[in-house]
Amino acid sequence: MSLTPVQIAPDSDQLSEVLDLIRRSFAYMEGRIDPPSSMTRLTVEGLSAAASTGEIWVLGAPIVACVVLTPKADALYIGKLSVDATQRGAGLARLLIDLAAKRASVRGLKALELQVRVELTENQATFRALGFTQTGATAHPGFDRPTSLTMRRGV
């Protein structure tokens, strides 16, 4: 299996494979987080749009890890970071975060940013181990409590 990151084009036939990996990787959140993940509304067309305005990177054939990178004014946003359950603990998330840092530098951005749900304390711990610190908390529409934490790190 190749662990060389490959960028996925907006018209790639692999977008459905990426979507499948994201759905499998986020499935454990069902019933744990409120409101449900935006992954439930994600489509191949949405991924194509994300690849047009940002970048989608994958590892493996078949794909075992992926990340969606979206440029913001002051940071590169990391979204839908997914690693197949059979590959967790193998350093693939770290590899993709390191790639994101390189991509941010290429774009002249000094930071990486992501959001993690309040309920997913194990994900928060993983991101802390990858150098992220909490910089804020947000509430989804209709909620009077924080539902997501914003985390950032320098590149």
Side-chain angles (χ1 to χ4, degrees), residues 30-45:
E30 190 172 333
R32 277 190 73 191
I33 61 172
D34 188 28
S37 171
S38 62
M39 174 277 305
T40 61
R41 298 181 305 280
L42 192 59
T43 63
V44 168
E45 293 78 19

Side-chain angles (χ1 to χ4, degrees), residues 52-66:
S52 293
T53 59
E55 303 173 10
I56 298 176
W57 291 85
V58 301
L59 299 172
I63 297 170
V64 295
C66 67

Side-chain angles (χ1 to χ4, degrees), residues 20-21 46 69 74 80 117 128 130 143 146:
D20 183 55
L21 172 63
L69 305 176
D74 66 341
K80 302 302 182 249
R117 290 301 187 90
R128 280 189 197 93
L130 292 169
F143 286 79

Side-chain angles (χ1 to χ4, degrees), residues 15-33 35-47 66 68 77 79-83 88 115 117 120 140 148:
L15 287 172
S16 60
E17 189 179 350
V18 172
L19 180 59
D20 183 55
L21 172 63
I22 293 169
R23 287 180 176 161
R24 287 192 327 269
S25 297
F26 280 57
Y28 79 97
M29 296 178 195
E30 190 172 333
R32 277 190 73 191
I33 61 172
S37 171
S38 62
M39 174 277 305
T40 61
R41 298 181 305 280
L42 192 59
T43 63
V44 168
E45 293 78 19
L47 285 173
C66 67
V68 177
Y77 185 82
K80 302 302 182 249
L81 178 63
S82 302
V83 177
R88 292 194 182 137
Q115 296 229 314
R117 290 301 187 90
L120 302 178
H140 284 80
S148 294

Side-chain angles (χ1 to χ4, degrees), residues 32 116-128:
R32 277 190 73 191
V116 60
R117 290 301 187 90
V118 169
E119 299 93 338
L120 302 178
T121 56
E122 67 279 15
N123 290 8
Q124 295 166 34
T126 296
F127 291 126
R128 280 189 197 93

Side-chain angles (χ1 to χ4, degrees), residues 72-125:
K72 296 176 71 173
D74 66 341
L76 188 60
Y77 185 82
I78 297 170
K80 302 302 182 249
L81 178 63
S82 302
V83 177
D84 187 86
T86 64
Q87 301 296 315
R88 292 194 182 137
L92 302 186
R94 180 176 299 280
L95 195 154
L96 289 173
I97 294 295
D98 290 346
L99 171 69
K102 290 175 187 162
R103 298 302 303 153
S105 290
V106 166
R107 290 175 172 270
L109 299 169
K110 304 287 185 213
L112 300 177
E113 182 177 282
L114 57 84
Q115 296 229 314
V116 60
R117 290 301 187 90
V118 169
E119 299 93 338
L120 302 178
T121 56
E122 67 279 15
N123 290 8
Q124 295 166 34

